Amino acid sequence: MKAYINKIFVLSVLATLLGCVDLSEKPVGLLAPESMFNSTKDVETAIFGAYGWMATERLYGRQFVSALMLRSDMEDIGDRGTPAERQQVNDFNMDDNNNMVNQFWPVWYQVISAANAAIAGAEGLNLPENTINPLIAEARFVRAFSYFHLVQVFGDIPYIDYFISNPAAVKEISKTPAAKVYEQIIIDLEFAKQWLPDKQPGEVRSRATKGSAASYLASVHLTQQNFQKAYTEAKWVIDNKDKFGYALEADFQTLFRAPQVNNMKEHVYDIDFLGLQSGAGGANDDIMPAMTGVRGGDAPRSGWSVIVPSQKVYDTWDARDYRKKVSFDDSLLIAGKLAPYTVFPNTKRPHIAKYARFAGNSNTEGRYSDHNYAAFRYAEVLLIAAEASAEVNGPNAEAAGYINQIRARARNWAGKQTAFPADVSATGTKADFIDMVMEERRLELAFEYKRWYDIKRRNLGDAVFKGANSLEPHATFSAARDYLMPLPRVELQVNPNLGPQNPGY
């Protein structure tokens, strides 16, 4: 959102509107909405503040997305000298005082608080629906987006859909059942789909649109295994792709070459970082290129080797697939010479290249990058449509066609057409076809924070962490415990109403 959020603006909004406070200790935002919101511009400012919190070190800049990566079977710990909190998340032996969780939990609620403030302020303006509802819809999208992440990670959580102005009320907050949270997410997204515009000014993709809301509705329904509704929403996005400006980028590498244009056609919704800018509270501090980059490489390609795929993730990926070339760094300049991964100084495995290879305006480690991270891209809409269609109707030509659109792009090696991966056909059993779609998701969306959610919703944990073909074995994985992370201990200590703790912690 480079046209809308700059360093000074983010800092002023975060410091003034929200403050760096913890939900469990005191409410986020003690001012009354009627004293803060006097125009639609004020509402927009609050929404931009919520967007700004997403582009911080504690959410999409490192902590939250790192936790999602490490929880999956696609990314492992590289340098074992990294702090124990990361190893605990990766190794399925975390406790309820894990500092990664302590870092990102309150920030998600700060995002939600900003959205709730915007909604309350907008409603208090008493403007016509056509004037104010598009902004309310944008704030409700932000709220739904935040809760969709929280409910998948934690299960039952506090659901707050109002502006907190009374400090005493906070100690009464308790958990809402996950099923109810999902109901509220769907209500917000349906409102957003109704009232958001087809495109935002300048077609910027870091602000929500009708297509963003419908795509997330498809994902929510898929997560809840309501496959007919998931298919209906995804198909609606596909049928209206020209109206929304959606399409697959011709070259897969373009998606991961910063700085990306604000209106990249494959981005349905993205998180926009500004190169070489940062602020208080970790604002705009993107550290993912450094976290995934090779420790010991020549600048500007030197990282920290923290999040590194297991060797088997690399070895089992067919080298004829262009997505493998884009996704991995298996050689790098070290001391002026191109070195293979077998002699990397720290972790002798291929590293993730999607973020470190082309970090744009950033420091020598790739930190403070210029990436627009795709929280949702059009390829995933096609994948959802294929999976949901096959669940409803079995293998069919339409579902296969969606997969083949993605595979056709994977055959384009920067303009040179190849024959791999071949098109799929609508044959075989339903189970085999679904397995194929899930494998296509694993490869197409590799290292993009999606795999853990797929493992969880498909109940694949025992197979992918303990099975004979495990890419990243973890004997400590427990399906009874590890599909949820623990609620932060400090939150339960301050407010016992948030109990009980999730099972196994």
Side-chain angles (χ1 to χ4, degrees):
M1 195 185 296
K2 294 179 177 64
Y4 296 93
I5 292 182
N6 57 40
K7 177 182 176 183
I8 296 174
F9 184 73
V10 169
L11 292 178
S12 64
V13 169
L14 300 188
T16 303
L17 180 63
L18 299 174
C20 296
V21 295
D22 199 322
L23 174 69
S24 64
E25 296 173 353
K26 47 188 166 181
V28 181
L30 298 178
L31 297 176
E34 57 269 22
S35 68
M36 297 171 59
F37 297 92
N38 299 303
S39 68
T40 56
K41 188 66 177 177
D42 294 336
V43 176
E44 194 173 64
T45 296
I47 294 170
F48 291 169
Y51 285 134
W53 269 120
M54 294 179 197
T56 60
E57 182 270 339
R58 285 182 282 176
L59 294 186
Y60 271 79
R62 176 165 60 174
Q63 299 290 357
F64 180 69
V65 291
S66 290
L68 294 183
M69 293 175 85
L70 292 172
R71 209 66 168 172
S72 86
D73 64 338
M74 291 290 285
E75 301 94 352
D76 199 359
I77 292 290
D79 185 348
R80 280 279 168 175
T82 198
E85 64 204 45
R86 298 168 187 160
Q87 299 185 53
Q88 292 166 1
V89 172
N90 182 78
D91 297 345
F92 296 103
N93 60 8
M94 65 192 297
D95 60 25
D96 63 354
N97 197 35
N98 182 272
N99 195 49
M100 295 185 79
V101 172
N102 291 340
Q103 290 288 314
F104 65 71
W105 166 280
V107 182
W108 275 122
Y109 278 100
Q110 288 170 340
V111 175
I112 291 165
S113 178
N116 286 338
I119 293 166
E123 291 172 345
L125 295 177
N126 297 316
L127 294 172
E129 282 188 344
N130 289 340
T131 300
I132 201 62
N133 276 6
L135 283 175
I136 293 176
E138 192 167 5
R140 290 180 69 167
F141 172 88
V142 168
R143 185 169 68 188
F145 175 84
S146 303
Y147 278 122
F148 189 34
H149 281 300
L150 283 168
V151 74
Q152 289 181 95
V153 172
F154 296 106
D156 298 350
I157 51 172
Y159 184 84
I160 305 166
D161 60 356
Y162 55 91
F163 186 89
I164 297 176
S165 57
N166 176 15
V170 175
K171 64 182 180 181
E172 304 299 327
I173 292 173
S174 59
K175 289 192 297 188
T176 301
K180 181 65 175 178
V181 176
Y182 277 112
E183 288 178 11
Q184 295 302 124
I185 290 169
I186 290 169
I187 290 170
D188 274 351
L189 289 175
E190 287 176 341
F191 184 89
K193 180 184 174 184
Q194 177 184 357
W195 286 102
L196 282 170
D198 294 339
K199 296 179 180 179
Q200 291 285 359
E203 291 194 47
V204 64
R205 304 303 169 97
S206 49
R207 295 185 67 182
T209 64
K210 286 184 184 296
S212 310
S215 297
Y216 273 97
L217 274 170
S219 186
V220 172
H221 289 311
L222 191 77
T223 299
Q224 293 196 295
Q225 299 187 14
N226 192 329
F227 298 114
Q228 180 60 61
K229 288 186 176 181
Y231 169 77
T232 299
E233 295 292 346
K235 184 66 163 57
W236 186 81
V237 175
I238 293 166
D239 289 345
N240 291 279
K241 65 182 185 303
D242 294 337
K243 183 192 300 185
F244 303 136
Y246 298 157
L248 297 178
E249 290 290 335
D251 187 338
F252 191 65
Q253 181 66 78
T254 303
L255 292 163
F256 311 102
R257 187 187 298 271
Q260 295 96 333
V261 296
N262 288 329
N263 60 346
M264 181 176 286
K265 60 187 179 182
E266 190 162 339
H267 282 194
V268 171
Y269 175 63
D270 65 34
I271 310 296
D272 189 356
F273 284 87
L274 307 178
L276 292 174
Q277 298 190 37
S278 63
N284 204 60
D285 186 0
D286 175 32
I287 315 182
M288 292 312 295
M291 292 285 285
T292 58
V294 181
R295 186 180 292 276
D298 291 356
R301 300 287 303 285
S302 180
W304 301 344
S305 292
V306 174
I307 303 175
V308 184
S310 71
Q311 186 67 41
K312 198 170 182 180
V313 171
Y314 178 83
D315 290 342
T316 56
W317 195 328
D318 197 303
R320 295 172 294 173
D321 189 336
Y322 178 57
R323 294 172 296 186
K324 181 178 184 178
K325 177 179 175 61
V326 170
S327 299
F328 289 96
D329 269 329
D330 55 13
S331 61
L332 203 67
L333 283 175
I334 299 176
K337 296 182 179 179
L338 188 65
Y341 68 84
T342 52
V343 297
F344 282 178
N346 183 277
T347 303
K348 302 183 191 311
R349 302 199 301 266
H351 284 51
I352 297 168
K354 282 186 172 180
Y355 312 128
R357 181 177 290 160
F358 298 114
N361 299 317
S362 59
N363 73 4
T364 57
E365 297 173 328
R367 187 171 183 174
Y368 312 116
S369 85
D370 215 4
H371 278 297
N372 291 11
Y373 287 112
F376 211 113
R377 52 187 177 90
Y378 183 64
E380 188 174 1
V381 177
L382 296 174
L383 287 161
I384 289 175
E387 182 181 349
S389 176
E391 283 285 3
V392 173
N393 299 311
N396 62 85
E398 180 189 352
Y402 296 139
I403 299 299
N404 289 337
Q405 289 183 48
I406 293 170
R407 289 194 162 203
R409 195 256 300 276
R411 294 194 290 268
N412 173 24
W413 284 64
K416 179 182 178 181
Q417 295 299 315
T418 65
F420 187 90
D423 283 352
V424 302
S425 60
T427 59
T429 67
K430 176 179 174 178
D432 288 343
F433 191 91
I434 296 297
D435 286 346
M436 179 273 296
V437 175
M438 296 305 297
E439 181 67 2
E440 199 69 25
R441 281 186 64 95
R442 188 180 71 84
L443 299 178
E444 173 68 22
L445 304 174
F447 318 132
E448 296 181 45
Y449 324 137
K450 303 288 184 174
R451 177 62 175 171
W452 170 243
Y453 290 152
D454 284 349
I455 292 171
K456 174 181 168 65
R457 70 183 176 84
R458 283 285 179 182
N459 195 24
L460 299 175
D462 284 330
V464 302
F465 295 120
K466 297 180 175 180
N469 297 318
S470 174
L471 301 175
E472 186 187 332
H474 283 295
T476 53
F477 172 80
S478 168
R481 177 192 64 211
D482 292 320
Y483 283 133
L484 298 176
M485 292 187 188
L487 302 174
R489 180 190 305 170
V490 65
E491 302 289 341
L492 294 173
Q493 290 173 337
V494 172
N495 181 7
N497 290 325
L498 295 181
Q501 179 59 273
N502 283 333
Y505 298 104

